[in-house]
Amino acid sequence: MIIETERLTLREMRESDAADLLEYQSNPAIVRYIPWPEGNPETVQRHIEKTLANSKTSPKEEGDYLVLVWELRNSGKVIGQSNISIQSLEHRRGEVGWVTHQDFQRQGYAYEASLAMLKFGFEQMNLHRIVAEMDTRVPASAAVARKLGMRKEAELKEVEFFKGEWCDMWTFAILKSEFEAGLAS
């Protein structure tokens, strides 16, 4: 599975990505708000193995997901990753998420990759609705969601006890019709 954007190649994770993944997965500021432990070479290797074993190139069943890393087209460096999953087959509902290497934030990469993932979700996975759930302490992720045309639908108070503290979460969502209308404008 490969998706090309202007500056990125979104592709399946490889064993050879370990050093690039470790750069951001070991950063406490990056992993603080995502469900990974602070990485080291062993945890990153386990993450790669789990992703390779479970990520589906063509998600079809409830619970299936696809993980793609973001490779810079000009250098081959991996600077982030996206995931998209099927939450409900009956309701054609999915979820998207992203994480960006600390040195490549606020440069439009998360938007570029996530736009491609939304397009994949609506066109290839036949989803009707895609949500993005995020910790309210990460306003940069909310800014990406808004730029993608997603609307904030909920703010859930102390919904998860996460890494030793209660956290609030935002839910952003977009419908296929809204996404298509945004592409047309």
Side-chain angles (χ1 to χ4, degrees):
M1 161 63 60
I2 292 178
I3 300 172
E4 298 282 344
T5 68
E6 182 182 343
R7 301 176 295 168
L8 300 170
T9 299
L10 280 63
R11 60 161 175 79
E12 293 175 78
M13 197 175 282
R14 300 178 187 143
E15 297 274 347
S16 59
D17 296 330
D20 287 345
L21 295 172
L22 181 61
E23 287 182 23
Y24 61 89
Q25 290 186 11
S26 64
N27 184 321
I30 298 296
V31 300
R32 180 174 181 196
Y33 306 110
I34 55 178
W36 303 336
E38 193 173 315
N40 59 49
E42 294 77 30
T43 60
V44 169
Q45 184 60 40
R46 283 195 303 271
H47 172 75
I48 292 170
E49 290 168 4
K50 180 181 176 186
T51 300
L52 292 175
N54 297 313
S55 179
K56 311 286 186 196
T57 56
S58 183
K60 291 181 176 44
E61 301 297 324
E62 202 162 297
D64 282 358
Y65 63 90
L66 169 66
V67 175
L68 297 177
V69 297
W70 314 342
E71 180 182 277
L72 288 172
R73 291 178 68 180
N74 64 358
S75 70
K77 180 170 186 60
V78 172
I79 62 160
Q81 62 194 72
S82 294
N83 59 280
I84 191 163
S85 64
I86 300 174
Q87 290 185 317
S88 170
L89 279 175
E90 178 184 1
H91 303 293
R92 294 177 29 220
R93 186 175 60 242
E95 182 175 0
V96 67
W98 55 86
V99 61
T100 310
H101 185 295
Q102 59 275 7
D103 296 341
F104 297 90
Q105 294 181 351
R106 292 178 173 71
Q107 297 176 45
Y109 292 113
Y111 170 78
E112 189 174 323
S114 298
L115 185 67
M117 293 299 277
L118 289 176
K119 186 173 191 218
F120 179 83
F122 289 128
E123 293 179 1
Q124 304 302 314
M125 296 170 64
N126 194 33
L127 295 172
H128 171 72
R129 171 185 167 82
I130 300 176
V131 301
E133 294 185 345
M134 62 201 67
D135 193 302
T136 61
R137 297 169 293 180
V138 190
S141 286
V144 171
R146 285 185 182 96
K147 187 173 180 183
L148 289 165
M150 301 179 95
R151 79 188 148 284
K152 186 171 89 173
E153 292 189 335
E155 181 172 334
L156 305 171
K157 297 293 186 184
E158 296 184 6
V159 68
E160 291 183 1
F161 191 72
F162 184 72
K163 296 186 179 182
E165 58 188 317
W166 287 104
C167 71
D168 301 342
M169 299 289 287
W170 285 319
T171 300
F172 283 81
I174 189 167
L175 300 174
K176 182 177 183 176
S177 59
E178 295 167 328
F179 181 76
E180 291 171 342
L183 289 179
S185 60

